[in-house]
Amino acid sequence: MPEGHTIHRAARNQNKWFKGKVLEMRSPQGRFADGAARLSGQKLTKVEANGKHLFYRYMDSGDVLHVHLGLFGKFKIRKPPFPEPSPNARFIAWTDEAQLHLAGPTACELLTPEGMDAIKARLGPDPLVAGVNGAEQIHQKLARRKSPIGRALLDQSVIAGLGNVYRAELLFLVGLHPFTPANEVPLEKISELWDLSVTELKIGEKSGRIVTVDPAEMGKPSRAKLTRYERLYCYKRAGKPCRRCGDTIVSAEVDSRKIWWCPTHQPLTA
DNA sequence: GTGTCATGCGTAT
DNA sequence: TACGCCTGACACG
């Protein structure tokens, strides 16, 4: 389930197990055989997350492993005794203590540091990178865009790390209709959106799932007590009542991705 | 068991 | 705008 929170969580977890360690590596599926052969036996300096991208730094050689999970990619961390890797594993990498198992990524490639910088350069601010305030930057990028804010939020060069779930939920939380022209969203609203992104993605990174609903509104004591059907306000809730006002959640397609909103909380003419 | 859809994105048209 | 890539979950029968 890869939006930015998943990627940062993966980096944190993988650093815990593999940072500073010499990793053996191979590609059961074969599509990363050359890369695995090159990296195998190298010491992994650290894992960095930026938006939905992961960069594995090998400072001794300068090699960078770039992974993007896309829609289907998944990591597993396994403890010994290691089970047989699935034949479709793009790579497995391991020490004596743990094994990292990757399947189904959109990107798994070797880069130079320059190649990594080029990818980072085209990403907008990432709410999960500490110490960044992206509001001004985002506002400037949107200044000349008449296209809908609902499209802009999935553009990784505007803001890095949001996916379709956070898009719908954040727009609900700030009360913006997804079809609002991006350049008509005032800086204060962008600021609100940015701050909420930080808050919500942090919650997602900690818990490992996207939970935007305030548990008190559902009469629950904590986020952890919410059922899978109670965690979101809008995403995939077409035809259901808004949790706050009871109006019917509606949906539409933007660039062949679905989006959901509450007509009352997110009027087009705000 | 089969079919559809999905938290993504690059490339071709 | 459409398609291809890649996998797993779930609805349906």
Side-chain angles (χ1 to χ4, degrees), chain A residues 71-269:
Chain A
L71 198 49
F72 311 124
K74 263 191 190 67
F75 288 111
K76 288 176 194 163
I77 290 183
R78 299 164 151 175
K79 311 297 157 50
F82 303 132
E84 203 50 33
S86 15
N88 64 1
R90 185 68 58 90
F91 72 66
I92 53 173
W94 67 95
T95 65
D96 289 345
E97 285 85 42
Q99 181 195 71
L100 179 63
H101 183 289
L102 171 66
T106 279
C108 175
E109 58 182 352
L110 276 181
L111 297 177
T112 59
E114 292 73 32
M116 173 184 71
D117 291 342
I119 292 175
K120 288 183 178 176
R122 54 169 206 255
L123 295 176
D126 177 345
L128 286 177
V129 170
V132 177
N133 186 342
E136 283 277 355
Q137 227 184 106
I138 295 168
H139 186 247
Q140 271 172 27
K141 286 188 195 223
L142 299 183
R144 267 172 251 88
R145 294 201 195 196
K146 292 178 186 164
S147 56
I149 185 71
R151 171 184 297 171
L153 291 189
L154 286 189
D155 181 339
Q156 302 297 303
S157 73
V158 171
I159 179 169
L162 301 189
N164 209 18
V165 182
Y166 280 121
R167 162 171 80 166
E169 296 301 302
L170 290 168
L171 286 174
F172 172 82
L173 289 169
V174 297
L176 273 175
H177 191 291
F179 291 169
T180 309
N183 61 350
E184 288 179 17
V185 183
L187 177 59
E188 308 85 73
K189 210 69 177 166
I190 298 288
S191 257
E192 213 180 308
L193 196 56
W194 171 261
D195 293 344
L196 266 169
S197 310
V198 174
T199 309
E200 295 301 331
L201 267 76
K202 274 186 183 166
I203 291 170
E205 199 257 319
K206 273 216 179 80
S207 63
R209 56 170 67 116
I210 303 177
V211 185
T212 55
V213 166
D214 177 352
E217 288 178 20
M218 305 299 295
K220 297 282 179 82
S222 69
R223 288 189 189 88
K225 297 285 185 195
L226 295 171
T227 71
R228 50 185 290 223
Y229 302 105
E230 296 174 328
R231 290 174 191 151
L232 304 171
Y233 286 108
C234 288
Y235 179 77
K236 274 195 181 167
R237 296 195 67 244
K240 304 225 164 68
C242 172
R243 301 195 190 284
R244 288 184 173 165
C245 71
D247 196 359
T248 303
I249 303 294
V250 295
S251 73
E253 277 202 8
V254 182
D255 301 330
S256 58
R257 312 284 313 268
K258 268 194 187 167
I259 187 159
W260 298 260
W261 71 94
C262 165
T264 297
H265 281 95
Q266 298 164 266
L268 190 48
T269 50

